[in-house]
Amino acid sequence: MVQKKPLILTALDVFAVLLLLAATGMVFFYAPLEAVMGAVQKVFYFHVAAGWVGMIGFLLALFAGVAYLKTKDMKWDIVGVAGVEIGMVFMLINIITGSIWARPIWNTWWTWDPRLTTATIMELVYAAYLMLRQGIEEPEKRARFGAVYAIIGFISVPLTFLSIRIFRTIHPVVIGGGDPGAEGSFSMTPKMMQTFMFSLAVFSVLAVDLIWHRIRLGKLSEKVEQMKLRLEQ
Amino acid sequence: MISNLIFMLMVAAIVLPVYAVLYNNFNLFNPGLLLVILLGSLGYVSVGTLLAAMTVQTRTRDILLPILLFPIVIPLVVACVKASSGFLQGWPWSDLSAWVNLLVVYDVVFTASAFMVFDYVVEE
């Protein structure tokens, strides 16, 4: 009755763990020490990678929401939840690693900078998404409203970013031009660039692995729910 | 869908006098301020109606609406506050235009998307 775990998923698990170890090794031993900021700059590789994966998760939720409203297929709902949950975890990693970096560089754990505020609001939007789902009992309606809110929520994120972008930011932009007001900017050497790209790839693999697991979990819990219904009848 | 639009306009008509009372001390006949009020309530109403239609059908409807609405309307609120204070203090247009543009963009984007997804919220 229960699906067996596919072999390729197990392989992906092992692969992701190995890659993560390799990336950690690369961050610590391959990438050179940044001249001004020193060792704390190394958090940057995983910071950006986690943010990237978080955005991918939310984007996935958006597409799943649209697909659900189009097809009314429950599997898209499961994909949407998976995207939101994984995205939230990685955004949180992004925020926490950012804090660790900001403590010595900006001399504060937290400041109401545009980037930071946007990230917080994004977490709030998706926390609200999860609470909305909690409040609805019927699976069909839950899926429908979840899809609608995932769409609306994702649209609001760039607008929020734009709204505070009009104020100036102190968050450094490493890739593609920097704001002169940014504090703690630096330019990457080739070895740093390789490490950075590698961590991006590793986190992407990790995200695919986790989302896959979450989708399987969602399918399983759907099955459990159906069985419970059958028992009650 | 037309009835939803009328409903939205009705809400806007209720909201406008409330704003007028709240801003009693200011010069109400500032055309810029009226524009901001109009754009701001349009955006707020389009998102608010959609989310309210969703939350009335949930279990924890009292708490859920503000939780859902707040993060979504933040850009609108920020732009409204900035634009109206700009109009009241007579900023030059070059400072103001970014905020007014943001208001217009927000209204267009959210009115359009709210119209697109509203059918899915009310269908039974």
Side-chain angles (χ1 to χ4, degrees):
Chain A
M1 187 100 191
V2 178
Q3 298 162 298
K4 276 194 78 178
K5 189 175 173 186
L7 194 67
I8 186 164
L9 182 59
T10 316
L12 196 65
D13 286 351
V14 177
F15 187 53
V17 170
L18 286 180
L19 276 182
L20 200 61
L21 284 176
T24 315
M26 221 169 151
V27 166
F28 280 111
F29 301 115
Y30 183 72
L33 218 59
E34 211 275 329
V36 184
M37 289 183 274
V40 76
Q41 180 269 339
K42 287 182 185 297
V43 90
F44 153 83
Y45 303 109
F46 282 8
H47 170 70
V48 180
W52 152 258
V53 167
M55 287 311 290
I56 294 287
F58 296 149
L59 196 65
L60 181 70
L62 168 79
F63 284 130
V66 174
Y68 176 77
L69 291 181
K70 280 257 177 214
T71 62
K72 300 277 165 191
D73 189 342
M74 267 318 219
K75 78 168 185 248
W76 287 114
D77 180 50
I78 294 169
V79 173
V81 186
V84 166
E85 285 189 357
I86 305 299
M88 266 189 86
V89 170
F90 277 97
M91 268 332 270
L92 206 63
I93 295 175
N94 175 267
I95 290 174
I96 291 170
T97 50
S99 266
I100 293 170
W101 177 83
R103 181 71 189 88
I105 303 301
W106 290 343
N107 205 21
T108 173
W109 293 107
W110 187 261
T111 166
W112 290 108
D113 174 75
R115 283 278 190 109
L116 280 57
T117 314
T118 317
T120 316
I121 293 169
M122 196 150 63
E123 286 278 299
L124 284 179
V125 166
Y126 289 100
Y129 170 92
L130 293 179
M131 288 180 78
L132 172 70
R133 296 183 63 93
Q134 291 268 307
I136 308 171
E137 310 238 316
E138 302 153 57
E140 193 270 334
K141 191 188 272 179
R142 194 198 303 149
R144 200 146 40 83
F145 286 10
V148 168
Y149 197 69
I151 295 169
I152 294 287
F154 196 84
I155 299 172
S156 86
V157 169
L159 279 175
T160 311
F161 185 65
L162 200 71
S163 79
I164 34 198
R165 190 74 211 215
I166 302 176
F167 302 116
R168 99 201 155 80
T169 181
I170 63 166
H171 189 286
V173 182
V174 177
I175 295 160
D179 192 311
E183 289 172 30
S185 229
F186 63 99
S187 42
M188 281 189 279
T189 65
K191 276 189 172 182
M192 282 178 169
M193 197 68 191
Q194 288 156 15
T195 314
F196 171 62
M197 285 300 165
F198 188 64
S199 350
L200 270 191
V202 167
F203 267 65
S204 307
V205 172
L206 187 66
V208 170
D209 187 52
L210 286 174
I211 288 173
W212 193 344
H213 274 291
R214 185 63 187 82
I215 290 172
R216 285 190 74 242
L217 178 66
K219 280 185 179 153
L220 225 64
S221 67
E222 193 193 15
K223 234 176 229 167
V224 170
E225 218 164 289
Q226 280 170 355
M227 280 176 179
K228 259 190 201 158
L229 274 177
R230 221 178 300 156
L231 266 180
E232 279 163 15
Q233 276 164 4
Chain B
M1 210 60 190
I2 293 167
S3 65
N4 296 330
L5 180 65
I6 295 170
F7 175 67
M8 273 159 63
L9 289 176
M10 266 166 55
V11 176
I14 296 166
V15 168
L16 274 173
V18 174
Y19 275 115
V21 171
L22 286 177
Y23 288 110
N24 214 1
N25 297 331
F26 298 104
N27 177 16
L28 256 186
F29 300 102
N30 186 331
L33 184 62
L34 287 178
L35 176 75
V36 172
I37 291 172
L38 191 67
L39 289 174
S41 30
L42 177 64
Y44 192 86
V45 159
S46 62
V47 182
T49 313
L50 177 74
L51 293 180
M54 271 161 64
T55 46
V56 288
Q57 300 181 50
T58 62
R59 237 185 314 139
T60 48
R61 61 186 77 158
D62 317 334
I63 339 164
L64 207 54
L65 178 60
I67 292 175
L68 293 183
L69 189 58
F70 184 61
I72 307 277
V73 293
I74 282 177
L76 184 80
V77 172
V78 170
C80 275
V81 168
K82 277 290 176 186
S84 48
S85 78
F87 275 118
L88 288 172
Q89 291 170 3
W91 290 0
W93 178 247
S94 56
D95 288 353
L96 265 171
S97 60
W99 298 110
V100 178
N101 284 349
L102 183 66
L103 270 178
V104 173
V105 167
Y106 187 96
D107 282 359
V108 169
V109 168
F110 273 98
T111 312
S113 49
F115 266 104
M116 280 193 271
V117 293
F118 200 92
D119 280 345
Y120 296 108
V121 172
V122 290
E123 84 180 15
E124 279 312 316

